[in-house]
Amino acid sequence: MELQPEDALEIVLGHPASRQVVFAGPFGVGKTTALRAISEIPVVNTDVASRELDTAQRTGGKTTTTAGFDYGEFRLAAGERVAVFGLPGQERFDAMWDLLVPASAAVVLWAYGDQAEGVNQCATWLRALGQRASLLRVAVAVSRLPLAAQEAGLAPYRALVQRLHPLAVVQAADPRAAEDVRRMVAAALTALPGAVRGD
């Protein structure tokens, strides 16, 4: 059978979303979980077995890590489609940071609210993001904060962000709760772009 011109398949490169958001943060903080909570398509992931056994004990027994990136999509209330990429949390996979951060409209930086090193990790990530984009729209999502002590728990993160990226939004959020994740994406997309400052 001879193919006709109308039988040709349309070639589409890239994703069909009009905006791109990156979920960043340390290993095990909940980036993949957050992406799964809001994605309206099956999430594409590149999880592999992790050797971070000490970290796994602190992150609820997580035994896999993202080696490339996670990918999902969802629609904003106005119908605009957003592509969401989850970055790997380990620095050895930072080639994905170089590729995805500069191309993104905004970043949601997930941070541990229940670990002593959470604020320092947040600072490290902000600096790493700032090295990859001159201006960033950022929302910092602090997870695992006790409900009764959220404001007190957010205080050191807000002080840090005021110093390093005063235009970033800082809020408590649960990566398992779709409403929280959507709120953080919206906050990132509407944040004012700014540069990450040095200390």
Side-chain angles (χ1 to χ4, degrees), residues 118-140:
V119 174
N120 288 336
Q121 286 178 340
C122 186
T124 298
W125 270 92
L126 277 172
R127 292 187 189 100
L129 293 169
Q131 290 170 359
R132 288 163 172 84
S134 57
L135 294 177
L136 284 168
R137 296 180 189 273
V138 179
V140 177

Side-chain angles (χ1 to χ4, degrees), residues 9 11 17-18 31 46 67 69-70 79-80 91 93 119 125 146 150 167 183:
L9 296 175
I11 297 173
S18 57
K31 301 180 296 292
T46 56
F69 61 84
D70 297 328
E80 186 178 16
E91 194 170 355
F93 301 124
V119 174
W125 270 92
Q150 278 190 356
L167 300 177
R183 174 171 48 82

Side-chain angles (χ1 to χ4, degrees), residues 37-194:
I38 63 167
S39 183
E40 296 167 2
I41 65 168
V43 171
V44 177
N45 69 54
T46 56
D47 283 358
V48 296
S50 173
R51 294 185 179 178
E52 303 280 334
L53 296 180
D54 59 328
T55 309
Q57 293 172 350
R58 293 183 284 119
T59 57
K62 181 174 169 63
T63 57
T64 60
T65 188
T66 301
F69 61 84
D70 297 328
Y71 178 79
E73 295 178 8
F74 82 105
R75 290 185 187 274
L76 296 172
E80 186 178 16
R81 187 180 292 180
V82 178
V84 185
F85 289 87
L87 296 183
Q90 297 178 49
E91 194 170 355
R92 60 190 167 133
F93 301 124
D94 68 353
M96 287 296 105
W97 308 358
D98 298 337
L99 179 67
L100 294 172
V101 171
S104 294
V107 176
V108 177
L109 174 55
W110 291 88
Y112 284 110
D114 64 345
Q115 294 187 8
E117 67 269 30
V119 174
N120 288 336
Q121 286 178 340
C122 186
T124 298
W125 270 92
L126 277 172
R127 292 187 189 100
L129 293 169
Q131 290 170 359
R132 288 163 172 84
S134 57
L135 294 177
L136 284 168
R137 296 180 189 273
V138 179
V140 177
V142 184
S143 67
R144 308 181 193 205
L145 286 174
L147 189 59
Q150 278 190 356
E151 285 307 308
L154 287 172
Y157 293 90
R158 287 182 171 149
L160 168 75
V161 169
Q162 182 60 36
R163 196 173 80 243
L164 296 183
H165 193 323
L167 300 177
V169 177
V170 181
Q171 297 177 1
D174 184 341
R176 300 166 299 181
E179 184 176 344
D180 282 13
V181 180
R182 287 191 194 99
R183 174 171 48 82
M184 295 310 304
V185 170
L189 286 169
T190 56
L192 293 173

